[in-house]
Amino acid sequence: MEQRILLTECDDANGLIAKITNQCGLFSYNIVHQDQFASTETNKFFMRSVLEGDFTYQNEFLQSIKCIVPENSNVKLVSRDKKRIAVLVTKEAHVLGDLLMKSFAGSLDAEIIMVVGNYPDLKELTEKFNIPFHYISHEGISREEHEKRICEVLDTEDLDYIILAKFMRILTPTMVAHYPLGKLINIHHSFLPSFIGAKPYQQAYDRGVKLIGATAHFVTNDLDEGPIIEQDVIKVGHRYDATKMAKAGRDVERLVLVRALNKVLNNKVFINGNKTVVF
């Protein structure tokens, strides 16, 4: 039987779980899996329900849900089809290479539609997987013009997410605002909120840290301060300089981004203010 995912985000209220699951039963949908969370901080309710059944009357079902939840709710019924993503890169290959391999092997639930780089270095790697690579140089033009050219290429495709995979450029507010919150995802080579901005491994070395990490987060206008999706750390010692830290950190960056993407791609992440609810 076909499966779809019901995503509900609304103001919290009494009896929401019972009301929604009752409607699922009325439309003969089997609830395969369900997660829910009510935030006392924001008074918001979040629920993810994996449904199985005949979705011929899905529009009527959605309307019935909207009639029983508070006003201004966000209710969606989404398919389990692979998401379409684009990847922005600069020169470092380890994160992109991991995404390409996992997509090729089927362990990443996404189709990589294109890769866009501000240097041509990763063109050969990308095209080995028969994926288009678009080289858009930032040299000799303004940041705004560079981003405009990137967006023109990205907007030729219907993309679900745009992944900044070691894309070493700070996005302007114009480009951030061009896409809805939640569409741009970045991997930052630091355990945020520590060591925001450039050269985080040098910052970590200067502070003599014993743990380094990586953070996957949604992009906002606040540099490296968007809602966090996934994080992890590894231990380092006094024998590590900034270069060795960066080398050790590459594995963490790859793992954190893939874990974050698998959750996002499976509709397990809700944005709750500047935080996330991750099922």
Side-chain angles (χ1 to χ4, degrees):
M1 272 196 173
E2 186 179 1
Q3 288 188 355
R4 298 200 177 180
I5 302 173
L6 177 66
L7 303 170
T8 307
E9 178 183 349
C10 62
D11 292 336
D12 195 16
N14 291 333
L16 284 173
I17 297 174
K19 291 177 181 178
I20 294 170
T21 55
N22 182 60
Q23 288 303 117
C24 293
L26 290 175
F27 279 80
S28 299
Y29 293 141
N30 180 40
I31 300 175
V32 178
H33 184 86
Q34 183 161 288
D35 290 293
Q36 63 272 332
F37 173 73
S39 170
T40 56
E41 180 183 10
T42 60
N43 195 42
K44 288 290 185 181
F45 174 81
F46 305 89
M47 190 161 81
R48 177 185 183 271
S49 308
V50 180
L51 306 180
E52 188 175 69
D54 180 359
F55 293 95
T56 301
Y57 299 101
Q58 66 173 17
N59 292 335
E60 290 83 352
F61 169 67
L62 269 178
Q63 189 57 42
S64 75
I65 297 293
K66 292 176 181 179
C67 289
I68 61 174
V69 296
E71 292 184 4
N72 302 317
S73 299
N74 186 9
V75 181
K76 296 186 291 185
L77 189 65
V78 299
S79 73
R80 307 205 74 172
D81 296 340
K82 282 190 173 184
K83 303 296 193 298
R84 295 164 55 86
I85 67 174
V87 185
L88 303 187
V89 297
T90 296
K91 290 184 176 181
E92 294 187 64
H94 60 287
V95 177
L96 172 64
D98 196 45
L99 294 179
L100 291 170
M101 280 297 299
K102 284 183 166 55
S103 178
F104 176 79
S107 58
L108 183 69
D109 202 18
E111 180 184 0
I112 300 176
I113 303 301
M114 68 174 78
V115 176
V116 180
N118 61 314
Y119 288 94
D121 299 49
L122 300 178
K123 177 181 173 67
E124 183 179 357
L125 171 62
T126 301
E127 293 182 345
K128 285 182 179 179
F129 292 84
N130 296 318
I131 293 173
F133 183 92
H134 300 272
Y135 167 45
I136 304 176
S137 175
H138 62 278
E139 296 178 357
I141 57 176
S142 68
R143 187 177 295 272
E144 291 75 13
E145 178 60 26
H146 182 236
E147 290 182 347
K148 179 184 176 184
R149 295 180 186 182
I150 291 176
C151 290
E152 286 173 350
V153 171
L154 294 173
D155 293 348
T156 61
E157 296 285 352
D158 183 17
L159 300 170
D160 293 295
Y161 298 101
I162 299 166
I163 315 303
L164 281 64
K166 305 292 289 183
F167 183 62
M168 309 305 287
R169 302 274 294 173
I170 297 174
L171 302 187
T172 66
T174 301
M175 182 166 179
V176 173
H178 185 73
Y179 298 103
L181 176 62
K183 187 162 185 170
L184 295 167
I185 299 173
N186 182 49
I187 180 65
H188 181 74
H189 38 308
S190 171
F191 191 80
L192 295 172
S194 300
F195 311 130
I196 291 171
K199 299 182 178 180
Y201 290 118
Q202 184 64 53
Q203 295 181 55
Y205 172 71
D206 292 341
R207 286 288 290 113
V209 303
K210 306 305 179 189
L211 293 171
I212 59 172
T215 303
H217 65 95
F218 293 113
V219 177
T220 66
N221 283 328
D222 298 317
L223 178 62
D224 296 330
E225 293 187 11
I228 291 171
I229 307 165
E230 180 72 28
Q231 294 180 293
D232 206 348
V233 295
I234 57 172
K235 290 184 177 182
V236 295
H238 63 275
R239 298 185 187 278
Y240 285 74
D241 60 16
T243 301
K244 287 183 178 179
M245 285 185 180
K247 185 177 180 180
R250 290 185 186 122
D251 283 342
V252 185
E253 294 165 13
R254 293 189 299 103
L255 292 172
V256 167
L257 180 58
V258 168
R259 290 208 305 258
L261 285 183
N262 278 328
K263 291 172 182 177
V264 171
L265 296 171
N266 283 284
N267 303 103
K268 293 184 175 182
V269 181
F270 292 84
I271 295 176
N272 184 24
N274 198 44
K275 300 179 181 179
T276 55
V277 174
V278 182
F279 292 127

